[in-house]
Amino acid sequence: MPRLSSLTRLVVVLLLLLFAAGSCVRKPVPVAGSVGPETRVYVVRHAEKDLTPDLADPPLTAAGQARAQALMAVIPRQTRLSAVFSTNTARTRATAQPLADARRLPVQLYDAGQLPELAARIRRDYPGQAVLVVGHSNTILETVEALGASRPVPTIPDAAYDYLLEVHLPLNPAQPATAQAHQYGQQMTP
């Protein structure tokens, strides 16, 4: 058997190492419950609040606390939630907190007067993931619009606490964002 030159041996060794390294590379496997080629944003209004007059920052009622618990069931466990956003009021934070605690996520505060900034942050920081945004009756449809989707319902009545708006943001910016309206928790009778 002929002897290989040092240079030839070095080339063979390098080729073997490259081949071995290439066989160890794995393609990413989709995570169970991951959103996939879109960003999913769940947008809800805070749950039922105390309507006592002159309360500067009303807390949730018992019905509101129950609805905040129901929010955990409506966003399936296999949906890998990456962030929870809330305005800085007691009622929105209390609506978001049970789900945030269950998923071991902090509640991140946002300014409801700066919805384009929130939308840009979600698109930039959470592509292909799922997030929750808790707002108010007069901001959740505007949040959907800031994310680039059309309103799935024309208005949210002040007495309605049960809307869950699901916004789908394709990662391809040429595709339009879409939104659907769902209801969750116990339906309130007028």
Side-chain angles (χ1 to χ4, degrees):
M1 180 164 194
R3 269 195 92 138
L4 299 174
S5 71
S6 297
L7 181 59
T8 306
R9 279 186 290 198
L10 180 61
V11 169
V12 169
V13 169
L14 287 174
L15 287 173
L16 288 172
L17 286 173
L18 285 173
F19 176 75
S23 66
C24 293
V25 174
R26 295 182 185 168
K27 292 185 179 183
V29 177
V31 177
S34 65
V35 174
E38 67 180 11
T39 303
R40 188 168 304 152
V41 183
Y42 297 98
V43 183
V44 298
R45 176 191 184 188
H46 60 78
E48 290 84 346
K49 65 180 178 178
D50 185 335
L51 297 174
T52 302
D54 299 326
L55 284 178
D57 190 11
L60 295 181
T61 63
Q65 292 170 5
R67 188 171 306 281
Q69 293 294 321
L71 186 57
M72 288 191 301
V74 77
I75 298 177
R77 190 75 162 129
Q78 66 270 22
T79 298
R80 200 152 148 210
L81 205 59
S82 297
V84 175
F85 292 95
S86 170
T87 61
N88 194 16
T89 64
R91 58 196 176 273
T92 54
R93 290 189 316 270
T95 301
Q97 200 65 58
L99 181 58
D101 288 347
R103 304 293 176 94
R104 296 183 179 175
L105 294 168
V107 175
Q108 300 179 55
L109 300 180
Y110 74 95
D111 181 349
Q114 302 294 323
L115 294 176
E117 286 81 358
L118 174 65
R121 181 176 178 195
I122 290 170
R123 285 183 179 278
R124 179 189 67 236
D125 295 347
Y126 301 99
Q129 300 174 51
V131 302
L132 170 69
V133 176
V134 182
H136 303 270
S137 63
N138 63 344
T139 66
I140 63 173
L141 290 171
E142 289 78 2
T143 302
V144 168
E145 290 175 328
L147 290 164
S150 296
R151 292 177 178 222
V153 294
T155 61
I156 302 286
D158 194 45
Y161 295 94
D162 58 355
Y163 278 95
L164 176 117
L165 309 176
E166 186 175 340
V167 182
H168 298 262
L169 305 173
L171 296 182
N172 179 349
Q175 295 178 325
T178 59
Q180 300 171 311
H182 309 284
Q183 292 180 299
Y184 77 103
Q186 185 163 346
Q187 307 302 311
M188 302 304 293
T189 54

